[in-house]
Amino acid sequence: MTDRPTPLEILGGRIREVRLKSNFSQTDLARLLGVAKQTISQWELGRSPPMITNLIKFSAVMGVDIKDLLSELSDDLSPLDSVFKRLSAASQLLPLFGSEEKGGQAIMDGLTPSTEVDEYVSTSSMHQPGDIAFFITSRANEPRFCVRDIVKLRARERPEPGNFVLASVGGKIVFRRWLPKHEGTNSGAILKAENPAYPDIEMTDDDCVLGVMSEHTSFNRS
C-alpha cells in the first residue's frame, strides 16, 4: 500500500509544478528569490517548509495566488499553521525594480529568469499576479514624484483618464499621466509629464500602456 503524501510533499509538488510550467530551473528560481538552489530542492521534495515570506515572494514572482498553493494544507504545515489569518493581517510583497525601465521590461518579459528583481516591497492592499513596484528615476513628474519614490503598479490594467501609467512608447518606457484622445484606444493619447520642462508624448497604435499606478510612497519629503 502506497503511503499518502504528507502536506509538505503536496506543497512541494505544487511549487515544482508552477516552476516547470513557467520554464524555470531550480537555479533560476533560487536566484530570483535570493535562496540557495538546494533550498528549492528541499521544498519540492517536501523535506523542509518554505518560510512564509519566501512563499509570498514565490507567489509574486510566479504570478500565482498563495491561497492556491496552500489550499487545504495550511492547518497541517507547522510552522505555517494559521497562515491565512497571518496573510490577511500582513502586507503583501511585490517585486521591486530599480527603475521605470526595469519595471516595464519585467511586465513585457512576464518576469522571466533574466529579469533582475532588486528587492521586494510591502503593499497596503492585496495585489494581483503580475503587479510590480519600481523606483522613480526620472524627474519628469516633479514635484509630485521625486527620484527614489516608489510606485506600485497594477500590471496590464485598463487606465482611466488622468491615471498615472507606465507605458511603452517608441521602444522607451515612460511614467506619465494618461489623457486619451479616443475612447477604447491608446492611439492619439497624450502622456503628460507633471514637470513642464518635459514635453508631452503622443501615443500611436504601436504603443501600449503596461500598467496603472495603484500606490505611491515617498521618502523624500522634508
Side-chain angles (χ1 to χ4, degrees):
M1 182 176 178
T2 304
D3 292 336
R4 294 179 61 186
T6 66
L8 274 182
E9 289 171 339
I10 295 173
L11 175 60
R14 291 174 180 175
I15 290 172
R16 182 175 185 275
E17 181 180 5
V18 170
R19 174 178 64 79
L20 291 177
K21 282 184 177 179
S22 299
N23 296 316
F24 279 28
S25 68
Q26 289 185 344
T27 300
D28 293 330
L29 182 58
R31 183 170 68 249
L32 283 176
L33 298 184
V35 300
K37 175 182 177 294
Q38 291 80 3
T39 299
I40 304 297
S41 178
Q42 292 294 302
W43 294 350
E44 293 186 357
L45 292 172
R47 293 177 180 170
S48 66
M51 294 176 59
I52 188 60
T53 51
N54 282 331
L55 268 183
I56 297 174
K57 289 180 183 179
F58 176 81
S59 299
V61 167
M62 307 304 282
V64 297
D65 190 331
I66 193 169
K67 291 184 179 180
D68 291 337
L69 292 174
L70 297 174
S71 176
E72 301 179 1
L73 299 178
S74 59
D75 291 339
D76 302 314
L77 284 175
S78 180
L80 298 182
D81 46 335
S82 303
V83 68
F84 290 137
K85 290 182 181 179
R86 293 165 63 191
L87 278 174
S88 64
S91 292
Q92 301 298 289
L93 297 182
L94 287 180
L96 174 63
F97 297 91
S99 68
E100 299 94 324
E101 185 73 29
K102 283 185 178 181
Q105 196 62 52
I107 293 173
M108 291 190 291
D109 288 350
L111 205 62
T112 64
S114 61
T115 303
E116 182 182 348
V117 178
D118 292 85
E119 54 185 293
Y120 292 83
V121 63
S122 64
T123 64
S124 62
S125 58
M126 297 293 289
H127 64 273
Q128 302 299 316
D131 291 355
I132 64 159
F134 59 88
F135 283 114
I136 293 289
T137 54
S138 167
R139 300 185 181 278
N141 292 300
E142 292 179 332
R144 177 165 180 172
F145 298 88
C146 296
V147 171
R148 298 299 289 175
D149 282 4
I150 294 175
V151 167
K152 296 157 191 178
L153 196 81
R154 293 219 179 268
R156 307 192 185 283
E157 182 168 297
R158 184 187 296 272
E160 297 290 337
N163 283 163
F164 279 93
V165 303
L166 195 66
S168 174
V169 183
K172 183 179 180 181
I173 307 296
V174 295
F175 179 65
R176 298 283 196 281
R177 189 187 295 276
W178 182 76
L179 301 172
K181 185 176 182 180
H182 306 291
E183 186 175 352
T185 177
N186 288 319
S187 182
I190 297 298
L191 297 173
K192 189 172 187 63
E194 299 290 280
N195 186 335
Y198 288 75
D200 294 344
I201 301 172
E202 183 173 346
M203 299 183 72
T204 70
D205 287 331
D206 295 326
D207 303 325
C208 64
V209 171
L210 300 173
V212 177
M213 183 179 74
S214 59
E215 292 183 43
H216 167 217
T217 304
S218 178
F219 303 101
N220 300 285
R221 305 291 188 252
S222 58

